[in-house]
Amino acid sequence: MTDDRGLDALDVALLAALEDHPRAGVLELSRVTGVARGTVTARLQRLEDASVVTGYGPDVDVRAAGFGVQAFVTLEIAQGAIDEMRRDLEAIPGVLEAHATTGSGDVLCRVAARSHEALQQVLVDLNRSSAVMRSTSVVALSELVPWRTRPLLESAAAPGAGRSGMQPRGDRSSPAGT
């Protein structure tokens, strides 16, 4: 990684390799990215130290896990109640994520439930917080673009930094007869 300038082409290639091969070890990542094992190890450590890579756990599809009803909830909260709101949100298992926001609402939450009835209970639980002044919810019908980072990272990779022309070894085409 390059100091405060962001990720370079090698960092992005390594992150893409991790995305494509989440169970790969350092040796396999070395082969896929076409760089030395020691380089992969050092880059991974720097990405972890910089909190770019925050974990190696499995990605869980909550729909496949039985929580097929999802909604986005906008909360308007009492002035200065953000810490109380955080505690209340963390206590509700159906809250997948929550963000403090600008605009008409103060907090945007993504919630999941097994059924519409269970979703209603999550919404009731959210509104029980003394910090909530008003809530608005919308049910998600389908996911059009799943959580992703690769296009953003690739578009912002520092040009000329790292290994130029990063292309995984397995994807390189060789002329016929070589």
Side-chain angles (χ1 to χ4, degrees):
M1 208 162 70
T2 57
D3 42 71
D4 290 333
R5 290 174 282 171
L7 305 177
D8 63 26
L10 178 54
D11 295 322
V12 173
L14 185 55
L15 292 169
L18 280 168
E19 185 179 310
D20 292 341
H21 311 282
R23 296 176 64 157
V26 172
L27 186 58
E28 176 66 8
L29 293 171
S30 172
R31 186 192 66 74
V32 168
T33 58
V35 297
R37 189 172 40 191
T39 302
V40 169
T41 301
R43 287 295 181 115
L44 282 176
Q45 186 62 55
R46 289 194 330 197
L47 290 167
E48 291 170 12
D49 291 347
S51 297
V52 172
V53 173
T54 58
Y56 296 91
D59 292 333
V60 176
D61 182 334
V62 294
R63 288 184 191 277
F67 300 91
V69 179
Q70 293 186 39
F72 293 91
V73 183
T74 301
L75 303 172
E76 294 176 31
I77 64 172
Q79 188 81 22
I82 196 76
D83 290 332
E84 176 187 348
M85 189 75 257
R86 177 184 292 114
R87 285 189 299 276
D88 291 347
L89 291 169
E90 289 173 343
I92 301 171
V95 174
L96 300 177
E97 61 182 322
H99 302 269
T101 60
T102 62
S104 60
D106 302 304
V107 176
L108 178 64
C109 304
R110 182 171 150 215
V111 301
R114 291 191 181 277
S115 65
H116 288 96
E117 293 79 15
L119 174 62
Q120 183 176 5
Q121 185 58 53
V122 171
L123 298 175
V124 167
D125 293 344
L126 284 169
N127 282 300
R128 281 195 180 126
S129 170
S130 61
V132 174
M133 306 306 287
R134 177 187 164 111
S135 68
T136 306
S137 58
V138 293
V139 173
L141 299 177
S142 64
E143 183 177 76
L144 299 179
V145 178
W147 171 259
R148 63 191 188 143
T149 57
R150 189 183 298 187
L152 176 67
L153 298 177
E154 288 175 344
S155 72
R163 185 168 176 220
S164 61
M166 282 301 306
Q167 187 177 14
R169 282 186 177 169
D171 293 347
R172 293 183 182 160
S173 53
S174 60
T178 60

